[in-house]
Amino acid sequence: MSQNRRILTIVAAASAALLLVGCSAGAGGGSTSSSGEMESDGEFTLYSGRSEALVQPLIDMFEEQSGISVNVRYGDTAELGALLLEEGERSPAQAFLSQDAGALGALAEAELFATLPSEITERVPAGFTSTDDSWVGVTGRARVIVYDSEVLTPSQIPASVEALATPEWSGRLAIAPTNASFQSFITAYRVLEGEAAADEWVAAIAANDPQLFENNGAILTAVNDGVVDAGLINHYYWYRLASEIGDAQMRAQLSFPQAGDPGSIVNVTGAGVLKSGAADADALEFIDFLVSRDAQQYFVDETFEYPVIAEVASPEGIPALSSLKNEDLDLADLQSLELTQALLAKHGLI
């Protein structure tokens, strides 16, 4: 099916869904036309929690292909998520692109997303997208242990993050407790293992004198320079640095925790149409574009993240995305960020 025909099919399906919503919910959210059909004025407003340097080339590609203008407000995902919660259905934004599932879950719980048509959401396998079609996963980001290969052998890297809280790793582990991806990992730990277990693990890590950094990139650099033995990061940082300096210069190497371990979660970036843009065909076309072959290949080539559609292959040398799926985790449950931050503050990590 051609791109244009697929868009028309999606818009028609979304229009039908909106008509049903209008009949059943009366004044429920969304700027529908008087007929309840999707409308296009050739532009829409996007709130992007992903950086301009990363996604603007992709937005330029979309604008060129579609003829639609995208008015983008860039910012931190958490800050934009909070702004959308404050603005509610009065938001000037029609769509939101997030760097993690937690913010998407919070907006879905507040019922600020319009339901996406199945023609979009069914392209992404369960476990890497919403369970209620409120938003769709766009890319996957696996949590990994990065280690100094001149100090440690692969067999010395634990299969579970549980072992990193033992005295053996005292002073040897780097973390970024203020970083969104680390906080999402801790949130997943709470969801999967329970509050008491998460509290115990964070307390043990804090007592182990961890080396603290601001972000994943700083941790990778420190490990690659031999400053620290190991750290917790997202997988794609390694591949990005290796593409810049060459694999042969990578003293740092990666180890993927065993599937199902709290340390092996795959968080996703994702996007949705806000109720303020529920009838906006342009915003919906952008969401459709994000899970198209062109956009997914862009993320593989430029950011080394996992694609979430079957037609695009993952970057070489990493485990298959399906092998990392955690059946016990609903990514929408990563929304309880405030409780995670309180837990990290309790143990002096933030």
Side-chain angles (χ1 to χ4, degrees):
M1 184 182 293
S2 70
Q3 173 79 3
N4 289 339
R5 186 172 179 182
R6 189 175 75 239
I7 294 298
L8 290 173
T9 301
I10 290 168
V11 169
S15 297
L18 284 167
L19 284 170
L20 290 173
V21 170
C23 291
S24 62
S31 54
T32 58
S33 66
S34 58
S35 64
E37 297 180 352
M38 303 291 286
E39 294 183 322
S40 171
D41 60 3
E43 65 176 354
F44 74 96
T45 297
L46 170 71
Y47 282 6
S48 175
R50 306 208 68 180
S51 72
E52 182 174 3
L54 176 64
V55 301
Q56 189 58 53
L58 186 66
I59 291 171
D60 293 341
M61 184 193 307
F62 169 75
E63 290 181 323
E64 182 177 354
Q65 290 184 7
S66 68
I68 295 170
S69 297
V70 186
N71 306 309
V72 191
R73 175 169 181 167
Y74 288 103
D76 175 85
T77 284
E79 292 173 354
L80 289 177
L83 177 60
L84 286 167
L85 289 171
E86 180 182 343
E87 292 175 339
E89 294 183 28
R90 301 182 306 277
S91 177
Q94 283 83 47
F96 178 51
L97 175 60
S98 174
Q99 73 169 10
D100 72 79
L104 295 164
L107 295 178
E109 184 179 48
E111 300 183 350
L112 292 181
F113 282 128
T115 300
L116 294 172
S118 59
E119 286 83 356
I120 290 177
T121 59
E122 287 178 354
R123 287 183 229 159
V124 181
F128 305 110
T129 190
S130 64
T131 57
D132 59 0
D133 293 345
S134 58
W135 54 270
V136 66
V138 174
T139 65
R141 309 160 133 203
R143 294 295 291 174
V144 295
I145 300 171
V146 60
Y147 65 94
D148 183 349
S149 63
E150 295 187 10
V151 175
L152 297 162
T153 65
S155 64
Q156 292 177 297
I157 309 304
S160 171
V161 295
E162 295 288 342
L164 297 176
T166 63
E168 176 187 353
W169 291 93
S170 181
R172 304 173 67 194
L173 181 71
I175 60 173
T178 61
N179 184 261
S181 59
F182 181 83
Q183 292 184 2
S184 291
F185 150 62
I186 297 297
T187 304
Y189 199 115
R190 291 176 37 243
V191 171
L192 292 169
E193 304 296 328
E195 301 293 346
D199 185 283
E200 182 178 348
W201 190 85
V202 172
I205 288 292
N208 245 1
D209 191 27
Q211 298 197 37
L212 307 183
F213 293 82
E214 290 187 3
N215 53 52
N216 292 276
I219 290 175
L220 174 58
T221 298
V223 174
N224 204 53
D225 290 345
V227 174
V228 61
D229 288 353
L232 295 173
I233 64 172
N234 289 335
H235 81 278
Y236 58 92
Y237 285 88
W238 189 95
Y239 290 91
R240 188 182 301 172
L241 182 59
S243 72
E244 294 173 0
I245 67 175
D247 290 5
Q249 305 303 315
M250 295 301 293
R251 173 172 171 170
Q253 296 296 315
L254 298 185
S255 177
F256 286 73
Q258 63 189 8
D261 187 78
S264 74
I265 70 162
V266 176
N267 202 347
V268 294
T269 68
V273 173
L274 297 158
K275 282 189 175 179
S276 52
D280 195 309
D282 303 319
L284 184 63
E285 185 167 344
F286 178 70
I287 303 302
D288 176 71
F289 170 75
L290 289 175
V291 287
S292 70
R293 181 188 296 271
D294 285 350
Q296 293 286 294
Q297 192 64 56
Y298 169 88
F299 284 115
V300 170
D301 295 340
E302 298 300 324
T303 71
F304 304 96
E305 293 171 273
Y306 279 100
V308 290
I309 64 171
E311 300 94 312
V312 177
S314 298
E316 292 184 6
I318 60 177
L321 183 61
S322 59
S323 71
L324 302 176
K325 181 178 177 181
N326 193 316
E327 301 288 351
D328 297 324
L329 181 65
D330 181 345
L331 291 174
D333 290 337
L334 299 182
Q335 64 180 295
S336 55
L337 181 61
E338 292 165 348
L339 295 177
T340 290
Q341 292 171 336
L343 175 59
L344 294 170
K346 172 184 175 181
H347 296 290
L349 291 177
I350 60 175

